Amino acid sequence: MKYHLAIDIGASSGRHILGHVEKGCMMLEEIYRFDNIQVRKNGHDCWNTEQLWQSILEGLRACKAVNKVPETMGIDTWAVDFVLMGADGRPVSDAVAYRDKRTKGAMEQAERGLPFPELYARTGIQKQVFNTAYQLTALQREHPEQLAAASRLLMIPEYFNYLLTGNMLNEYTNATSTALVNAYTRSWDDTVIAALGLPRRIFGPLNLPGARVGRFTGEVQGAVGFDCDVLLPATHDTGSAFLAVPARDENAVYISSGTWSLLGVENEAPITGEASMLANFTNEGGYRYRYRYLKNIMGLWMIQSIRRELNGVSYVEDSKKTAAAQRQWSYAELEAEARGCADFTSRVDVNDSSFLAPESMTDAVKQFCVQTGQSVPQTVGELMQCVYASLAAGYAGAVRELSALTGKVYTSINIVGGGSKDGYLNELTARTTGLPVFAGPTEGTALGNLMAQFIAAGEFDDLEAARAAIRQSFDIKEVTP
């Protein structure tokens, strides 16, 4: 049996999922799962890369323990965050997390060198305060010595690939999220890089999903007998998730539903006009140079944050602790509370910046209701109903914008990722948009990661064949509003 391994790391957890092809069907097996908790370091919220690296190795040992060593493996994570590497092959910067507040004022600083309309026209990437371009601008302001010492920029999955193989490769889909890649030439935009005053030397050649990074030999890492090729999937998790959407036709909207909800479609060419810019849609690079034309919507982050607060759990280690919880809430219980308050009508704009990284998501929702003259949620059920219904309304608004921008009438919505299991949100989405909603597969990101490996290994001839296999391999459920 030929196995392949997807190491899929999200903002709150990661997982090792083995995949193989059996009689034309894709078979998945979760081998290892681990938490991803940020740490407070040098005054910033950072990813704990050492802990993540140890978790990656522990998952590889778990594969070895069940005698299922893969022939290839690939890593995907969230986008925009990075590590700067010095000439000696060691990091010269921390892996600061995108929700950290260091980028305050960075957009305004960057626009003095390059107005956003010009940046958007060149890169097609929406304005988000956490874009890599703005993170690097913030780094220039706070730690110019780190940029001076850097010889290479590696996005988070690229850094782990380097630890596995000793080779530094930049991958196209993730690079496009930086707002430093030209949407038309599909390479680093030297005009943008120069305008922002960034050193060109740190940006390496861009490689497509399917490229070989190198060989991992586990003896030196305590995974004796583990020996396989490391490949590039679409290392941006949304890029992988979009591969796994089993759309029925060309008029389907995709939602990759997790901490973020990424709603959009695949296009053959970027859309970088003024109307697209004002609607804040983005053109991220996809597999084989497709364009993922989508909108970032705050997503399950709001629900996750409220649950953490109710349960007395902090998102970042060593940060201010929340009050002790009187009980522990499950997601199913929160969903049930929301269903019980279906007549609560207050709504928030889920794309408002106040929900990006508030001290308290509960307080942020209540404050938005106060400022907009609406009833303030008083119970857990009212709070959850407000968030659930607001997310669905955000999806419906984005679909309308998408239709206006592309001139297409969309006929269905396909939801992949962990959020595809959220029955109430899916029902509200179907009801609010008036479109058929199809949920699944749940492991969309890991599956897309594996698809790139399957194709590279010759298990499927092309993307179309792999997508056809998804429809026969997994139970895709139509949602009843």
Side-chain angles (χ1 to χ4, degrees):
M1 187 73 67
K2 294 197 301 184
Y3 293 102
H4 305 273
L5 176 66
I7 303 175
D8 170 32
I9 308 177
S12 58
S13 66
R15 59 209 59 80
H16 290 57
I17 295 182
L18 280 171
H20 70 276
V21 178
E22 190 173 307
K23 296 180 180 179
C25 289
M26 299 177 185
M27 313 298 290
L28 305 184
E29 178 183 2
E30 182 177 303
I31 293 295
Y32 186 72
R33 182 175 286 262
F34 54 94
D35 291 332
N36 182 7
I37 304 295
Q38 294 177 15
V39 294
R40 191 72 179 166
K41 185 177 180 182
N42 296 323
H44 295 291
D45 294 342
C46 299
W47 302 107
N48 191 339
T49 52
E50 178 55 35
Q51 181 180 359
L52 290 174
W53 171 235
Q54 293 304 320
S55 295
I56 289 171
L57 294 177
E58 193 61 35
L60 299 183
R61 296 183 192 108
C63 292
K64 177 61 178 174
V66 295
N67 199 30
K68 294 180 179 179
V69 175
E71 294 195 0
T72 67
M73 64 175 164
I75 300 176
D76 68 78
T77 76
W78 62 97
V80 303
D81 292 339
F82 60 89
V83 176
L84 293 180
M85 306 298 292
D88 61 355
R90 302 176 64 181
V92 297
S93 74
D94 295 324
V96 178
Y98 62 86
R99 293 188 195 272
D100 183 79
K101 300 186 187 309
R102 71 169 172 172
T103 51
K104 183 178 180 180
M107 287 195 299
E108 293 78 8
Q109 179 181 342
E111 288 200 42
R112 288 195 287 271
L114 185 68
F116 181 72
E118 182 179 348
L119 178 65
Y120 187 84
R122 299 184 71 90
T123 68
I125 298 300
Q126 69 187 120
K127 180 183 281 189
Q128 297 275 22
V129 68
F130 50 70
N131 286 349
T132 314
Y134 302 133
Q135 291 198 49
L136 288 168
T137 299
L139 192 65
Q140 282 178 318
R141 180 177 57 199
E142 183 181 15
H143 287 298
E145 75 282 0
Q146 293 181 7
L147 276 170
S151 63
R152 195 67 178 269
L153 177 144
L154 295 179
M155 307 300 280
I156 298 298
E158 297 164 356
Y159 174 63
F160 293 130
N161 284 340
Y162 166 67
L163 295 181
L164 287 168
T165 68
N167 297 325
M168 297 187 188
L169 269 69
N170 293 123
E171 188 269 322
Y172 169 71
T173 69
N174 214 337
T176 62
S177 74
T178 65
L180 297 169
V181 171
N182 189 287
Y184 297 93
T185 66
R186 301 162 177 165
S187 59
W188 299 110
D189 192 313
D190 290 346
T191 298
V192 171
I193 290 169
L196 296 178
L198 302 174
R200 180 62 179 84
R201 67 179 181 278
I202 67 175
F203 303 102
L206 298 182
N207 297 269
L208 291 177
R212 182 179 183 273
V213 182
R215 193 80 177 168
F216 171 68
T217 302
E219 279 76 3
V220 296
Q221 299 295 347
V224 176
F226 201 104
D227 190 10
C228 78
D229 275 339
V230 178
L231 302 184
L232 292 177
T235 63
H236 182 182
D237 52 10
T238 309
S240 278
F242 266 46
L243 286 184
V245 176
R248 285 162 168 74
D249 56 50
E250 295 181 353
N251 296 317
V253 173
Y254 303 173
I255 300 179
S256 175
S257 182
T259 299
W260 287 92
S261 293
L262 296 312
L263 183 152
V265 294
E266 286 185 316
N267 288 336
E268 293 183 358
I271 300 175
T272 60
E274 183 180 16
S276 180
M277 179 190 72
L278 293 175
N280 215 27
F281 270 72
T282 200
N283 298 265
E284 294 175 349
Y287 185 82
R288 291 292 184 262
Y289 289 130
R290 288 170 168 80
Y291 292 88
R292 288 177 286 113
Y293 188 58
L294 54 85
K295 189 161 194 172
N296 282 29
I297 300 171
M298 204 62 71
L300 302 186
W301 161 252
M302 299 181 72
I303 296 172
Q304 294 164 351
S305 297
I306 291 170
R307 178 173 179 261
R308 277 192 293 268
E309 292 170 25
L310 290 171
N311 291 345
V313 177
S314 176
Y315 183 57
V316 181
E317 281 186 356
D318 302 323
S319 64
K320 181 180 178 181
K321 300 297 182 183
T322 58
Q326 295 181 349
R327 60 169 291 185
Q328 295 294 301
W329 291 85
S330 70
Y331 286 116
E333 289 170 328
L334 293 178
E335 179 181 324
E337 290 290 322
R339 287 181 182 274
C341 293
D343 58 348
F344 188 73
T345 60
S346 294
R347 303 287 183 267
V348 299
D349 177 3
V350 294
N351 295 315
D352 190 86
S353 61
S354 62
F355 303 123
L356 178 62
E359 292 294 327
S360 166
M361 186 64 72
T362 300
D363 290 347
V365 171
K366 290 182 176 181
Q367 185 61 31
F368 191 97
C369 291
V370 169
Q371 293 173 347
T372 53
Q374 302 180 85
S375 296
V376 177
Q378 300 298 318
T379 67
V380 170
E382 290 179 347
L383 179 66
M384 296 312 301
Q385 172 63 21
C386 178
V387 171
Y388 268 108
S390 297
L391 284 170
Y395 297 164
V399 172
R400 290 192 296 270
E401 288 179 313
L402 183 63
S403 184
L405 290 165
T406 62
K408 290 186 176 181
V409 176
Y410 294 102
T411 57
S412 65
I413 297 175
N414 293 259
I415 302 177
V416 299
S420 67
K421 296 187 295 185
D422 195 316
Y424 188 45
L425 182 55
N426 294 343
E427 291 170 24
L428 291 176
T429 300
R431 195 176 308 157
T432 305
T433 62
L435 295 175
V437 170
F438 300 92
T442 299
E443 292 292 356
T445 300
L447 184 56
N449 181 325
L450 287 166
M451 288 167 67
Q453 297 183 58
F454 288 152
I455 295 169
E459 303 272 11
F460 296 99
D461 291 338
D462 51 30
L463 179 58
E464 289 68 30
R467 279 181 166 165
I470 290 177
R471 288 188 280 272
Q472 69 182 66
S473 303
F474 301 95
D475 183 21
I476 313 301
K477 297 180 180 179
E478 183 170 3
V479 176
T480 302

